[in-house]
Short mmCIF file of all heavy atoms in Angstrom, two decimals:
data_model
loop_
_atom_site.label_atom_id
_atom_site.label_comp_id
_atom_site.label_asym_id
_atom_site.label_seq_id
_atom_site.Cartn_x
_atom_site.Cartn_y
_atom_site.Cartn_z
N ALA A 262 -25.67 36.02 68.37
CA ALA A 262 -25.36 35.37 69.64
C ALA A 262 -26.30 34.21 69.91
O ALA A 262 -25.87 33.14 70.35
CB ALA A 262 -25.42 36.38 70.78
N TRP A 263 -27.61 34.42 69.64
CA TRP A 263 -28.51 33.29 69.93
C TRP A 263 -28.39 32.18 68.90
O TRP A 263 -28.64 31.00 69.22
CB TRP A 263 -29.94 33.75 70.18
CG TRP A 263 -30.88 34.07 69.06
CD1 TRP A 263 -31.30 35.30 68.68
CD2 TRP A 263 -31.63 33.15 68.25
NE1 TRP A 263 -32.22 35.21 67.67
CE2 TRP A 263 -32.46 33.89 67.39
CE3 TRP A 263 -31.68 31.75 68.16
CZ2 TRP A 263 -33.31 33.31 66.45
CZ3 TRP A 263 -32.53 31.16 67.22
CH2 TRP A 263 -33.33 31.93 66.38
N PHE A 264 -27.96 32.49 67.68
CA PHE A 264 -27.67 31.40 66.74
C PHE A 264 -26.55 30.52 67.29
O PHE A 264 -26.59 29.29 67.18
CB PHE A 264 -27.25 31.97 65.38
CG PHE A 264 -28.31 32.74 64.64
CD1 PHE A 264 -27.96 33.55 63.56
CD2 PHE A 264 -29.65 32.68 65.00
CE1 PHE A 264 -28.91 34.27 62.86
CE2 PHE A 264 -30.62 33.40 64.30
CZ PHE A 264 -30.24 34.20 63.23
N ILE A 265 -25.53 31.16 67.88
CA ILE A 265 -24.41 30.39 68.44
C ILE A 265 -24.84 29.66 69.71
O ILE A 265 -24.45 28.51 69.94
CB ILE A 265 -23.21 31.32 68.67
CG1 ILE A 265 -22.65 31.78 67.32
CG2 ILE A 265 -22.13 30.62 69.50
CD1 ILE A 265 -21.54 32.81 67.41
N LEU A 266 -25.66 30.30 70.55
CA LEU A 266 -26.21 29.60 71.71
C LEU A 266 -27.02 28.38 71.29
O LEU A 266 -26.93 27.31 71.91
CB LEU A 266 -27.11 30.55 72.51
CG LEU A 266 -26.41 31.64 73.32
CD1 LEU A 266 -27.44 32.63 73.86
CD2 LEU A 266 -25.61 31.04 74.47
N ARG A 267 -27.79 28.54 70.25
CA ARG A 267 -28.59 27.41 69.73
C ARG A 267 -27.68 26.27 69.29
O ARG A 267 -27.98 25.09 69.54
CB ARG A 267 -29.45 27.91 68.57
CG ARG A 267 -30.45 26.91 68.02
CD ARG A 267 -31.06 27.47 66.75
NE ARG A 267 -32.25 26.77 66.33
CZ ARG A 267 -32.84 26.95 65.15
NH1 ARG A 267 -32.33 27.83 64.29
NH2 ARG A 267 -33.92 26.27 64.82
N GLU A 268 -26.58 26.61 68.64
CA GLU A 268 -25.64 25.57 68.20
C GLU A 268 -24.99 24.91 69.42
O GLU A 268 -24.78 23.68 69.42
CB GLU A 268 -24.59 26.16 67.28
CG GLU A 268 -23.74 25.12 66.55
CD GLU A 268 -24.55 24.23 65.63
OE1 GLU A 268 -25.66 24.64 65.18
OE2 GLU A 268 -24.08 23.11 65.34
N GLY A 269 -24.66 25.71 70.42
CA GLY A 269 -24.11 25.13 71.64
C GLY A 269 -25.06 24.17 72.30
O GLY A 269 -24.65 23.11 72.82
N ALA A 270 -26.36 24.52 72.31
CA ALA A 270 -27.36 23.62 72.88
C ALA A 270 -27.46 22.33 72.07
O ALA A 270 -27.54 21.23 72.63
CB ALA A 270 -28.72 24.32 72.94
N HIS A 271 -27.43 22.46 70.75
CA HIS A 271 -27.52 21.28 69.88
C HIS A 271 -26.35 20.33 70.10
O HIS A 271 -26.53 19.11 70.18
CB HIS A 271 -27.58 21.72 68.42
CG HIS A 271 -27.57 20.59 67.45
ND1 HIS A 271 -28.70 19.85 67.15
CD2 HIS A 271 -26.55 20.05 66.70
CE1 HIS A 271 -28.39 18.92 66.27
NE2 HIS A 271 -27.11 19.01 65.98
N ARG A 272 -25.16 20.90 70.22
CA ARG A 272 -23.95 20.08 70.36
C ARG A 272 -23.59 19.78 71.81
O ARG A 272 -22.64 19.03 72.07
CB ARG A 272 -22.77 20.79 69.70
CG ARG A 272 -22.94 21.06 68.23
CD ARG A 272 -21.66 21.61 67.62
NE ARG A 272 -21.85 22.00 66.23
CZ ARG A 272 -20.85 22.28 65.40
NH1 ARG A 272 -19.59 22.23 65.83
NH2 ARG A 272 -21.09 22.63 64.15
N ARG A 273 -24.31 20.43 72.74
CA ARG A 273 -23.97 20.34 74.16
C ARG A 273 -22.51 20.77 74.37
O ARG A 273 -21.74 20.13 75.07
CB ARG A 273 -24.22 18.94 74.70
CG ARG A 273 -25.67 18.50 74.57
CD ARG A 273 -25.92 17.13 75.15
NE ARG A 273 -27.32 16.75 74.99
CZ ARG A 273 -27.85 15.59 75.41
NH1 ARG A 273 -27.07 14.70 76.01
NH2 ARG A 273 -29.12 15.34 75.22
N ASP A 274 -22.21 21.90 73.77
CA ASP A 274 -20.85 22.42 73.74
C ASP A 274 -20.78 23.68 74.60
O ASP A 274 -21.26 24.75 74.20
CB ASP A 274 -20.46 22.72 72.29
CG ASP A 274 -19.00 23.13 72.12
OD1 ASP A 274 -18.42 23.67 73.09
OD2 ASP A 274 -18.46 22.94 71.02
N ASP A 275 -20.20 23.57 75.78
CA ASP A 275 -20.11 24.71 76.69
C ASP A 275 -19.29 25.86 76.11
O ASP A 275 -19.53 27.03 76.42
CB ASP A 275 -19.50 24.28 78.02
CG ASP A 275 -20.44 23.42 78.84
OD1 ASP A 275 -21.66 23.46 78.58
OD2 ASP A 275 -19.96 22.71 79.75
N ARG A 276 -18.33 25.54 75.25
CA ARG A 276 -17.50 26.59 74.65
C ARG A 276 -18.37 27.50 73.79
O ARG A 276 -18.22 28.73 73.83
CB ARG A 276 -16.40 25.96 73.81
CG ARG A 276 -15.45 26.97 73.17
CD ARG A 276 -14.46 26.26 72.25
NE ARG A 276 -15.13 25.64 71.11
CZ ARG A 276 -15.36 26.26 69.95
NH1 ARG A 276 -14.98 27.51 69.78
NH2 ARG A 276 -15.95 25.63 68.97
N LEU A 277 -19.26 26.93 73.01
CA LEU A 277 -20.15 27.74 72.18
C LEU A 277 -21.15 28.52 73.02
O LEU A 277 -21.46 29.67 72.71
CB LEU A 277 -20.89 26.84 71.18
CG LEU A 277 -20.04 26.20 70.09
CD1 LEU A 277 -20.90 25.32 69.19
CD2 LEU A 277 -19.32 27.26 69.25
N ILE A 278 -21.64 27.91 74.08
CA ILE A 278 -22.57 28.62 74.96
C ILE A 278 -21.87 29.81 75.61
O ILE A 278 -22.44 30.90 75.70
CB ILE A 278 -23.16 27.65 76.00
CG1 ILE A 278 -24.07 26.63 75.30
CG2 ILE A 278 -23.94 28.42 77.07
CD1 ILE A 278 -24.54 25.49 76.20
N ARG A 279 -20.64 29.62 76.04
CA ARG A 279 -19.89 30.74 76.63
C ARG A 279 -19.67 31.85 75.61
O ARG A 279 -19.76 33.04 75.94
CB ARG A 279 -18.56 30.25 77.19
CG ARG A 279 -18.69 29.43 78.47
CD ARG A 279 -17.34 29.28 79.16
NE ARG A 279 -16.37 28.56 78.31
CZ ARG A 279 -16.22 27.24 78.31
NH1 ARG A 279 -16.97 26.48 79.09
NH2 ARG A 279 -15.30 26.67 77.54
N LEU A 280 -19.35 31.48 74.36
CA LEU A 280 -19.15 32.49 73.32
C LEU A 280 -20.44 33.25 73.06
O LEU A 280 -20.43 34.49 72.99
CB LEU A 280 -18.65 31.82 72.04
CG LEU A 280 -18.54 32.73 70.80
CD1 LEU A 280 -17.56 33.87 71.05
CD2 LEU A 280 -18.14 31.92 69.57
N GLY A 281 -21.56 32.54 72.91
CA GLY A 281 -22.83 33.21 72.67
C GLY A 281 -23.20 34.14 73.81
O GLY A 281 -23.67 35.27 73.58
N CYS A 282 -22.98 33.71 75.05
CA CYS A 282 -23.30 34.56 76.20
C CYS A 282 -22.38 35.78 76.25
O CYS A 282 -22.84 36.89 76.56
CB CYS A 282 -23.17 33.76 77.49
SG CYS A 282 -24.52 32.59 77.78
N ALA A 283 -21.12 35.60 75.93
CA ALA A 283 -20.19 36.74 75.94
C ALA A 283 -20.58 37.77 74.88
O ALA A 283 -20.51 38.99 75.13
CB ALA A 283 -18.76 36.25 75.70
N MET A 284 -21.01 37.31 73.72
CA MET A 284 -21.47 38.22 72.68
C MET A 284 -22.73 38.96 73.13
O MET A 284 -22.86 40.18 72.94
CB MET A 284 -21.72 37.46 71.39
CG MET A 284 -20.47 36.91 70.72
SD MET A 284 -20.81 35.76 69.35
CE MET A 284 -21.80 36.80 68.24
N LEU A 285 -23.66 38.23 73.70
CA LEU A 285 -24.89 38.85 74.20
C LEU A 285 -24.57 39.87 75.29
O LEU A 285 -25.11 40.98 75.28
CB LEU A 285 -25.82 37.76 74.74
CG LEU A 285 -27.07 38.22 75.51
CD1 LEU A 285 -27.94 39.14 74.66
CD2 LEU A 285 -27.86 37.01 75.98
N ASP A 286 -23.70 39.51 76.22
CA ASP A 286 -23.38 40.40 77.33
C ASP A 286 -22.87 41.76 76.84
O ASP A 286 -23.36 42.81 77.27
CB ASP A 286 -22.30 39.77 78.22
CG ASP A 286 -22.81 38.59 79.03
OD1 ASP A 286 -24.03 38.34 79.03
OD2 ASP A 286 -21.98 37.91 79.65
N CYS A 287 -21.88 41.72 75.96
CA CYS A 287 -21.26 42.99 75.56
C CYS A 287 -22.20 43.82 74.69
O CYS A 287 -22.23 45.05 74.80
CB CYS A 287 -19.91 42.75 74.89
SG CYS A 287 -19.94 41.90 73.32
N MET A 288 -23.01 43.15 73.84
CA MET A 288 -23.86 43.93 72.95
C MET A 288 -25.14 44.40 73.63
O MET A 288 -25.75 45.38 73.22
CB MET A 288 -24.14 43.15 71.68
CG MET A 288 -22.88 42.91 70.85
SD MET A 288 -21.85 44.41 70.60
CE MET A 288 -22.86 45.31 69.42
N TRP A 289 -25.55 43.71 74.70
CA TRP A 289 -26.62 44.27 75.52
C TRP A 289 -26.14 45.56 76.16
O TRP A 289 -26.85 46.57 76.17
CB TRP A 289 -27.05 43.26 76.59
CG TRP A 289 -28.11 43.79 77.50
CD1 TRP A 289 -27.94 44.54 78.64
CD2 TRP A 289 -29.53 43.66 77.33
NE1 TRP A 289 -29.15 44.87 79.20
CE2 TRP A 289 -30.15 44.35 78.42
CE3 TRP A 289 -30.34 43.04 76.38
CZ2 TRP A 289 -31.53 44.41 78.58
CZ3 TRP A 289 -31.72 43.09 76.53
CH2 TRP A 289 -32.30 43.77 77.61
N GLU A 290 -24.94 45.55 76.70
CA GLU A 290 -24.39 46.75 77.33
C GLU A 290 -24.22 47.87 76.31
O GLU A 290 -24.42 49.05 76.62
CB GLU A 290 -23.04 46.43 77.98
CG GLU A 290 -23.13 45.46 79.15
CD GLU A 290 -23.97 46.00 80.31
OE1 GLU A 290 -24.03 47.24 80.49
OE2 GLU A 290 -24.57 45.17 81.03
N ARG A 291 -23.84 47.53 75.10
CA ARG A 291 -23.69 48.54 74.04
C ARG A 291 -25.03 49.04 73.52
O ARG A 291 -25.15 50.20 73.12
CB ARG A 291 -22.90 47.93 72.88
CG ARG A 291 -21.45 47.63 73.17
CD ARG A 291 -20.61 48.90 73.06
NE ARG A 291 -19.19 48.60 73.17
CZ ARG A 291 -18.23 49.41 72.79
NH1 ARG A 291 -18.53 50.59 72.27
NH2 ARG A 291 -16.96 49.07 72.92
#
Side-chain angles (χ1 to χ4, degrees):
W263 81 253
F264 295 165
I265 292 175
L266 287 170
R267 186 189 195 190
E268 192 62 23
H271 175 80
R272 300 187 186 193
R273 300 182 180 180
D274 186 334
D275 288 341
R276 182 185 65 90
L277 292 179
I278 292 171
R279 287 194 298 271
L280 174 61
C282 285
M284 292 170 59
L285 171 58
D286 289 352
C287 66
M288 295 312 287
W289 178 274
E290 295 298 331
R291 291 279 188 162

